């Protein structure tokens, strides 16, 4: 049985950081739709061009573009045993499309990282991303050894355009309006586990790992 683990939560909740670690731990491919769009942007594809204005202004890219890209990606061999989704689904139509596509062929577990708005704003405002390898630092919580340079590859650290203060507020609004209803969607199906995402990353990871060993994922291992 394939397992599809979904990391839900607002921007800045730590989905990317936790997904990278949890994916390794569970031997599941880590699929971030945000990273897929950024990759398309940097390669100058038509999809990247179409997504850019939505991303830069903190809005969601239209479902039809997201769904084609996502289903193409998860059809690849590294997803045959399952995968870990980071930043998808973000709307009810996306969640319904995923449910339809998987049918009874996979188990779904939605891990929901809960973090208060003030903490999110502080995390996103100080976030700096390596433009070469995508590694994430934070000016206060995980500053680089050399200012402006990635600890992993020495690449240049930059602020994502959508991490600016104004766009962060917009992304939080969009999250509340369009993504928050997914909590009820997965809770009704008894597939939701809530995790306090405001704690230290190692503690959060421990709780996510325990949730993945729970009854919903039986038969996946
Ligand atoms: P992220 O890196 O997950 O914060 O995504 C960055 C931006 O990419 C979002 O603010 C959206 O504009 C776009 N995006 C990523 N995933 C999705 C999705 N599932 N649905 C719509 N837009 C998305």
């Amino acid at each position: 049985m394939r397992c599809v683990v979904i990391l839900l939560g607002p921007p800045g909740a730590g989905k990317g950081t936790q997904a990278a670690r949890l994916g390794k731990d569970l031997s599941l491919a880590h699929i971030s739709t945000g990273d897929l769009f950024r990759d398309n942007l940097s390669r100058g594809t038509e999809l990247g061009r179409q997504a850019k204005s939505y991303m830069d202004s903190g809005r969601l890219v239209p479902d039809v573009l997201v769904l084609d890209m996502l289903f193409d990606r998860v059809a690849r061999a590294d997803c045959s045993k399952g995968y870990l989704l980071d930043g998808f689904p973000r709307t009810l139509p996306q969640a319904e499309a995923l449910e339809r596509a998987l049918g009874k062929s996979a188990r779904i577990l939605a891990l929901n990282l809960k973090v208060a708005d003030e903490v999110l704003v502080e995390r996103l405002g100080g976030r700096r991303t390596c433009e070469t390898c995508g590694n994430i630092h934070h000016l206060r919580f995980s500053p680089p050894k050399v200012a402006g340079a990635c600890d992993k590859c020495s690449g240049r650290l930059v602020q994502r355009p959508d991490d600016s203060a104004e766009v962060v507020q917009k992304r939080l609004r969009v999250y509340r309006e369009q993504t928050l209803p997914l909590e009820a969607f997965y809770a009704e199906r008894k597939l939701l586990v809530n995790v306090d995402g405001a704690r230290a990353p190692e503690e959060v990871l421990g709780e996510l790992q325990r949730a993945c060993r729970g009854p919903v994922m039986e038969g996946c291992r």
Side-chain angles (χ1 to χ4, degrees), residues 34 60 190 200 202:
L60 295 184
K190 306 218 177 329
E202 294 68 31

Side-chain angles (χ1 to χ4, degrees), residues 193-204:
V193 176
N194 288 310
V195 171
D196 172 4
R199 292 164 309 163
E202 294 68 31
E203 283 178 53
V204 177

Side-chain angles (χ1 to χ4, degrees), residues 145-210:
K145 293 196 184 85
V146 177
C150 171
D151 280 2
K152 277 198 182 149
C153 76
S154 304
R156 202 161 68 100
L157 294 177
V158 295
Q159 184 174 45
R160 268 171 50 174
D162 56 344
D163 280 347
S164 68
E166 194 184 313
V167 180
V168 162
Q169 289 303 330
K170 170 80 180 164
R171 288 165 71 202
L172 292 176
R173 264 201 314 280
V174 166
Y175 170 78
R176 277 192 292 276
E177 286 164 15
Q178 303 199 53
T179 309
L180 203 56
L182 297 184
E183 287 187 4
F185 179 91
Y186 288 113
E188 272 164 24
R189 289 158 174 74
K190 306 218 177 329
L191 301 175
L192 186 81
V193 176
N194 288 310
V195 171
D196 172 4
R199 292 164 309 163
E202 294 68 31
E203 283 178 53
V204 177
L205 180 65
E207 203 172 319
L208 295 172
Q209 286 167 330
R210 273 193 294 286

Side-chain angles (χ1 to χ4, degrees), residues 97-108:
L98 178 68
E99 188 174 66
R100 268 197 310 277
L102 293 174
K104 293 196 186 322
S105 74
R107 269 174 211 221
I108 295 182

Side-chain angles (χ1 to χ4, degrees), residues 33-34 38 55 59-61 66 87-88 90 94 160 171:
T33 41
R38 281 184 288 277
M55 296 174 74
R59 288 173 299 153
L60 295 184
V61 177
V66 183
F88 181 96
R90 261 177 155 103
Q94 290 180 16
R160 268 171 50 174
R171 288 165 71 202

